[in-house]
C-alpha cells in the first residue's frame, strides 16, 4: 500500500530517502539498469513531447478549430498503439515501452485508463518512489527501457 510519503511530483521528486542498495523499480522486481529497467524521466518526457506535437500537427492538418481535437487524437494514439504494441510513436523513438507488471502489453482497458489520465495531465505529474505516475499506478503499468 502506498502512503502519502511515497508520492512526489516532477518538480520535487519522491519524498522518501532511498536506502543503500535500493533503486526505482527494485520493489517491482526490475533491474537497476539496462533493458527492462525503469525508463528515465527525460526519455518519458521527450516521448510525450513527440507524441503531443505530432497530434497537434495532425489536428492542424485537419483544420478544425475544436480545442479538444488534438487531445482526442493524442488519447486515441495512446489507446490504440499502447494497447496493441506497448508503445506510442514517441516511446518507440526514445526506446521505451509500456508494460503491465507481468511483462505483457497492457491491452485496451489498461491503455484506456492510462490515456484518459495522461490527457488530464495532473495524474502524470504525481508519481511514487518507483517513478510510476498515478496514470501507471491506476492502470497497473510501468514504462521500461526497451
Amino acid at each position: 500500500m502506498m502512503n502519502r510519503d511515497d508520492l512526489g511530483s516532477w518538480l520535487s521528486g519522491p519524498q522518501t530517502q532511498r536506502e543503500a542498495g535500493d533503486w526505482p523499480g527494485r520493489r517491482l522486481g526490475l533491474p537497476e539498469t539496462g533493458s527492462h529497467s525503469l525508463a528515465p524521466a527525460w526519455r518519458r518526457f521527450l516521448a510525450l513531447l513527440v507524441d503531443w506535437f505530432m497530434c497537434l500537427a495532425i489536428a492542424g492538418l485537419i483544420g478544425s478549430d475544436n480545442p479538444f481535437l488534438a487531445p482526442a487524437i493524442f488519447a486515441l494514439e495512446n489507446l490504440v498503439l499502447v494497447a496493441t504494441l506497448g508503445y506510442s510513436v514517441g516511446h518507440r523513438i526514445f526506446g521505451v515501452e509500456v508494460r503491465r507488471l507481468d511483462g505483457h502489453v497492457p491491452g485496451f482497458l489498461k491503455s484506456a485508463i492510462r490515456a484518459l489520465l495522461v490527457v488530464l495531465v495532473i495524474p502524470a505529474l504525481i508519481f511514487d518512489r518507483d517513478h510510476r505516475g498515478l496514470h501507471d499506478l491506476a492502470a497497473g503499468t510501468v514504462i521500461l527501457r526497451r
Side-chain angles (χ1 to χ4, degrees):
M1 182 72 163
M2 182 175 40
N3 63 41
R4 187 178 184 284
D5 292 335
D6 285 341
L7 292 177
S9 74
W10 68 280
L11 288 173
S12 65
Q15 299 299 314
T16 57
Q17 293 288 332
R18 277 195 246 155
E19 300 171 12
D22 193 17
W23 61 85
R26 180 171 183 240
R27 295 181 314 152
L28 303 172
L30 300 173
E32 184 173 6
T33 60
S35 181
H36 296 101
S37 63
L38 286 177
W42 67 269
R43 285 188 190 202
R44 296 189 317 256
F45 181 71
L46 291 176
L48 176 73
L49 286 180
V50 165
D51 289 332
W52 181 247
F53 284 117
M54 180 185 70
C55 293
L56 280 174
I58 292 169
L61 288 173
I62 292 172
S64 172
D65 290 335
N66 185 340
F68 298 107
L69 183 59
I73 294 169
F74 180 85
L76 183 63
E77 178 220 7
N78 271 269
L79 171 64
V80 172
L81 294 179
V82 170
T84 57
L85 302 173
Y87 50 81
S88 67
V89 172
H91 290 146
R92 181 68 178 189
I93 290 170
F94 287 97
V96 298
E97 62 187 357
V98 179
R99 295 290 179 201
R100 295 187 323 215
L101 294 177
D102 65 7
H104 291 93
V105 173
F108 282 96
L109 179 60
K110 290 183 182 296
S111 293
I113 293 167
R114 282 189 90 257
L116 175 64
L117 292 175
V118 168
V119 168
L120 293 176
V121 178
I122 300 301
L125 298 178
I126 301 170
F127 53 88
D128 69 0
R129 68 182 185 185
D130 288 316
H131 300 189
R132 294 172 66 210
L134 291 180
H135 62 297
D136 281 319
L137 291 169
T141 57
V142 64
I143 301 180
L144 305 173
R145 289 182 174 132
R146 289 180 43 91

